[in-house]
Amino acid sequence: MEKSSFFTKDKTFYKTLFSMLAFVALQNIIAYSVNMADNIMLGSYSQASLSGAATVNQVFFIVQQFALSFGNALVALAAQYWGAKKVEPIKKLTGITLKIGVAVGIVLVVISACIPSGLVRIFTDEADIISEGTKYLLLIMWTFLLYIITNILMAALRAVGTVNISFYISIVSLIVNVGINYVLIFGKFGFPEMGIVGAAIGTLVARILELLIVIFYLIFKDKKLCLFKQSQEELEATGNAKAKLSFAWLFGNDKLLWKDYIKVYIPIMCASVLWGVSVPMQTAILGHMSPDAIAANSVATTFYQYLKVIVVAMSSTSAVMIGQSIGRGEMGQIKSDGRTLSVIDVGIGLVLGIALVVLKNPLLTLYNLNDTAMDLAGRLILIMAVIMVGMSYQMPVSFGIIQGGGDTKFTMAMNLISTWLIVMPLSFMAAFWWKWPVEWVVVVVQSDQIFKCLPTFIHFRKYKWMKKLTR
């Protein structure tokens, strides 16, 4: 293999990449469809229910950012340990991540339970939307902790290359959620018509089922991580013939690994969570402009987020592959792998942007909005198609290659500067000072997905992001 080539020529690299990408992308698409099912069914039920769920989904988006930051920090370390063929540190790191994740999840549930209407009111002044959103949040909040735990466990599996279980979990979750939604939202088969409350119940049941399945898989099917049972090495050391349930990884207190995890986690958390907080704030800006704006933005961003899951999958896959290569010590090959991944990212962005334009009209027919909101949603989708191309490059390169390669500080600095020093001030001024039309406010809100491409490209080409994080 020519390690100096611009693109990698290793056929195994492409086979592993596209196999893992396909599973992770399908899992992400199906998992996102759980929220999409709520969105579409509530959109056909009433505009107030749609907008109420959309506001609560902004709260859930912050929960997702916490879950992603926990998982990404775990993958950054665990993938390198897996590349170095060391399993025990991965189990201990998973225990550390779960402890932090559960603590944060409990705090988020308590906040939601104490001030549900206050959280919804951040995003809109409309009384009917606040009423619907509050009812939705009071049930959805119980999924926050479940979602965080499930995603941490699946991140541990992803770090060792196990991605198919996530796909199957998402299929089951989607079927259950859509079925319950249909029955309870519209009152089918003799059940009462519950509207937005029925949608919340469907999502809650789906999240419970997701967690139960991943725990079952880890106990009875997993052969790599052996998280809830003794590994082959432990069996040989103790002289046991049959594996027993083991929770030592969960209750242990490895101070060095705690230090390593916190060192990696803090920059990732700042990059993910503080950027994540800005997204609901941006939605709140649009929500305070007009009721039609929040409904149109909900529809447009739903389609955008639906395709974005493929980009998120590319980020996750890149992080695992780059991390494992660093763990194996293949520092020379990583440059070619990184260049190959970055060019594929651009190609994916172009395909997704075109898909968004082509599917615009058919997808809009799924919603029951007034003419003003429908026309605005169509224009916003065209804007998001352009944004998709830039986001498809900068996110997998910064969060996948650079962060997965061990450099967690660059993404933090870039996101904090671009979001809080540029995008947020300009968004507020565009909406409330300059009184720009909704479309141009959305352009400002999403502009960072374009201009972050330049610093990402420059930093990537320096190759200073390749760092060994394991001991």
Side-chain angles (χ1 to χ4, degrees), residues 126-141:
E126 299 295 318
D128 56 341
I129 297 177
I130 293 172
S131 175
E132 291 291 286
T134 300
K135 290 188 289 186
Y136 191 64
L137 179 58
L138 286 172
L139 279 173
I140 286 295
M141 67 182 187

Side-chain angles (χ1 to χ4, degrees), residues 275 413-425 448 451-452:
W275 172 77
M414 182 180 67
N415 279 334
L416 292 184
I417 292 171
S418 64
T419 300
W420 293 100
L421 297 184
I422 301 174
V423 172
M424 288 306 300
D448 63 321
F451 66 69
K452 284 193 295 190

Side-chain angles (χ1 to χ4, degrees), residues 4 223 257 340 424:
S4 60
K223 304 295 183 183
L257 286 178
T340 303
M424 288 306 300

Side-chain angles (χ1 to χ4, degrees), residues 236-298:
E236 293 173 357
T238 57
N240 295 327
K242 188 176 181 181
K244 299 179 181 179
L245 288 177
S246 174
F247 298 93
W249 57 274
L250 184 57
F251 300 105
N253 188 31
D254 190 316
K255 293 182 179 180
L256 290 178
L257 286 178
W258 265 98
K259 182 179 179 181
D260 290 345
Y261 183 82
I262 295 299
K263 183 179 179 180
V264 171
Y265 172 68
I266 289 177
I268 291 178
M269 182 273 293
C270 290
S272 298
V273 176
L274 295 182
W275 172 77
V277 170
S278 73
V279 174
M281 289 182 65
Q282 293 162 354
T283 302
I285 292 172
L286 297 174
H288 286 285
M289 292 182 72
S290 75
D292 289 332
I294 193 171
N297 185 62
S298 172

Side-chain angles (χ1 to χ4, degrees), residues 32-58 136 140 174 177-178 181 185-186 195-196 199-200 203 294-306 363-364 366-369 377:
Y32 187 75
S33 296
V34 174
N35 283 342
M36 183 72 162
D38 288 358
N39 194 285
I40 291 177
M41 290 187 183
L42 289 173
S44 63
Y45 183 75
S46 78
Q47 185 167 321
S49 294
L50 168 65
S51 298
T55 56
V56 174
N57 283 337
Q58 301 307 309
Y136 191 64
I140 286 295
L174 176 62
N177 188 60
V178 170
N181 275 5
I185 291 176
F186 303 103
I196 198 168
T203 303
I294 193 171
N297 185 62
S298 172
V299 171
T301 54
T302 294
F303 298 153
Y304 172 78
Q305 296 288 346
Y306 208 95
L363 291 173
L364 285 176
L366 298 172
Y367 289 86
N368 180 25
L369 305 180

Side-chain angles (χ1 to χ4, degrees), residues 30-31 33-34 37 41 167-183 202 205-206 209-210:
I30 296 169
S33 296
V34 174
M41 290 187 183
F167 171 64
Y168 298 124
I169 287 173
S170 298
I171 290 178
V172 174
S173 177
L174 176 62
I175 293 172
V176 170
N177 188 60
V178 170
I180 295 176
N181 275 5
Y182 178 73
V183 171
V205 173
L209 192 59
E210 287 174 358

Side-chain angles (χ1 to χ4, degrees), residues 108-159:
L108 292 171
V109 171
V110 170
I111 292 173
S112 300
C114 292
I115 52 170
S117 60
L119 290 177
V120 178
R121 195 173 283 109
I122 293 173
F123 307 104
T124 180
D125 295 323
E126 299 295 318
D128 56 341
I129 297 177
I130 293 172
S131 175
E132 291 291 286
T134 300
K135 290 188 289 186
Y136 191 64
L137 179 58
L138 286 172
L139 279 173
I140 286 295
M141 67 182 187
W142 300 109
T143 70
F144 296 171
L145 182 58
L146 300 173
Y147 182 83
I148 288 173
I149 295 172
T150 300
N151 274 269
I152 289 172
L153 294 176
M154 289 199 292
L157 288 168
R158 189 168 69 249

